[in-house]
């Protein structure tokens, strides 16, 4: 695997690949790689000639300095995992390489970055958009793979790509879960043993909600799920919302939308967990 640490190195290496008309599949990550990341990379391997992964803990998408400080960093393990699956390229720059100057770029996503995560993490999606666009410019992927685990992020990236007519196909990939249903996340390593027993309840409640949803009104379904989550004193719910799967705006009744998704964010100990489930 070729490890590239500067933009100049990466651009030169990528230009060479492009000149051979090879298709590049790209998976941007913040490292601490787990099977969820690996599933995206494996799909990229099947669909492209060359696979590139980036590892960059993007400071401008963190609205909480403690979260940035405590974000797990496991680069040696990550490199080993990438070697095992025969990833071709790792782009692993330092912060000052990516942001030699402060960034003032502002994206307008309308309502899309104001709801759900956007309400609780101001500036987060602008930071995501800045880094993903920058990485797309450097890596020039034909296809880029994003997990549905971060559903709102996926919608933001799809919207940015459409609005700016970027020449990259965005491929949504299903959420990988532990056997007990907990969505895999780099942050899970910070859960205590006791919290690890509670965390799977989040997905279990989403699954139950999906089963009973359309027999109830949207408001009833939401308040049922909220009350189930609130039964666990350890879970502090930030939001649980049933929203339109395109606009992410709340739906009032089941008939108003072609697609509906339930999105949730909870605090468990020091860890903030998000998850979602497509209802239809
Ligand atoms: P991150 O390193 O958390 O920024 O994630 C990098 C990419 O992996 C994003 O597209 C995430 O949505 C995706 N991802 C993270 N966790 C999972 C998971 N459990 N299943 C599938 N994709 C995931």
């Amino acid at each position: 695997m070729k490890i590239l640490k500067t933009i100049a190195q990466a651009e030169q290496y990528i230009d060479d690949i492009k000149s051979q008309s090879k298709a590049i599949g790209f998976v941007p990550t913040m490292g601490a790689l787990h099977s969820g990341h690996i599933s995206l990379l494996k799909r990229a391997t099947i669909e492209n000639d060359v696979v590139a992964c980036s590892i960059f803990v993007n400071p401008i998408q963190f609205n909480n300095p403690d979260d940035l400080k405590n974000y797990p960093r496991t680069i040696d393990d990550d490199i080993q995992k990438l070697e095992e699956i025969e990833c071709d390229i790792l782009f692993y720059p330092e912060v000052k390489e990516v942001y030699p100057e402060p960034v003032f770029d502002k994206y307008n996503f309308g309502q899309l970055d104001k709801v759900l995560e956007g309400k609780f993490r101001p500036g987060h999606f602008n930071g995501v958009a800045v880094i993903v666009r920058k990485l797309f410019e450097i890596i020039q992927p034909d296809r880029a793979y994003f997990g549905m685990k971060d559903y709102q992020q996926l919608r933001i990236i799809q919207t940015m790509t459409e609005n700016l007519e970027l020449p990259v196909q965005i491929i949504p990939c299903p959420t990988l879960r532990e056997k007990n249903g907990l969505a895999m996340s780099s942050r899970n390593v910070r859960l205590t043993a006791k919290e690890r027993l509670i965390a799977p309840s989040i997905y279990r409640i989403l699954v139950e909600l999906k089963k009973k949803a359309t027999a109830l009104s949207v408001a009833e379904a939401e308040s049922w799920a909220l009350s189930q989550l609130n039964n666990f004193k350890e879970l502090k719910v930030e939001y649980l919302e049933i929203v339109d799967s395109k606009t992410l705006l709340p739906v009032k009744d089941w008939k108003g939308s072609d697609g509906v998704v339930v999105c949730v964010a909870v605090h468990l100990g020091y860890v903030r967990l998000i998850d979602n489930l497509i209802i239809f």
Side-chain angles (χ1 to χ4, degrees), residues 50-83:
V50 172
V51 174
C53 177
S54 63
I55 295 182
F56 181 65
V57 182
N58 178 33
I60 66 165
Q61 75 183 66
F62 283 78
N63 51 314
N64 175 343
D66 277 346
D67 190 24
L68 175 59
K69 198 174 92 208
N70 294 318
Y71 199 84
R73 290 164 169 85
T74 57
I75 187 65
D76 293 340
D77 270 15
D78 291 352
I79 290 175
Q80 201 183 330
K81 285 181 183 157
L82 292 171
E83 299 269 17

Side-chain angles (χ1 to χ4, degrees), residues 27-31 33-34 36-37 39-40 61 71 145-150 153 173-177 183-187:
V27 180
T29 81
M30 299 204 296
L33 300 181
H34 51 66
H37 298 115
S39 69
L40 272 53
Q61 75 183 66
Y71 199 84
Y145 297 79
F146 289 86
M148 292 176 69
K149 154 85 176 15
D150 300 284
Q153 167 172 285
C173 300
T175 303
L176 243 81
R177 300 179 178 279
M184 289 181 182
S185 161
S186 303
R187 290 181 175 91

Side-chain angles (χ1 to χ4, degrees), residues 185-246:
S185 161
S186 303
R187 290 181 175 91
N188 291 355
V189 295
R190 299 190 59 222
L191 294 170
T192 64
K194 189 174 167 226
E195 288 161 357
R196 277 188 168 260
L197 297 177
I198 297 166
S201 316
I202 302 165
Y203 181 61
R204 188 178 45 72
I205 291 167
L206 296 188
V207 171
E208 282 178 45
L209 174 107
K210 178 171 173 155
K211 275 191 209 143
K212 61 171 68 203
T214 44
L216 303 172
S217 72
V218 173
E220 283 166 348
E222 270 180 4
S223 63
W224 176 84
L226 266 173
S227 70
Q228 294 293 306
L229 290 167
N230 287 331
N231 280 339
F232 296 88
K233 63 176 187 325
E234 296 85 355
L235 295 178
K236 305 273 175 283
V237 181
E238 223 166 47
Y239 63 79
L240 177 136
E241 283 190 55
I242 295 172
V243 297
D244 181 282
S245 53
K246 279 234 142 48

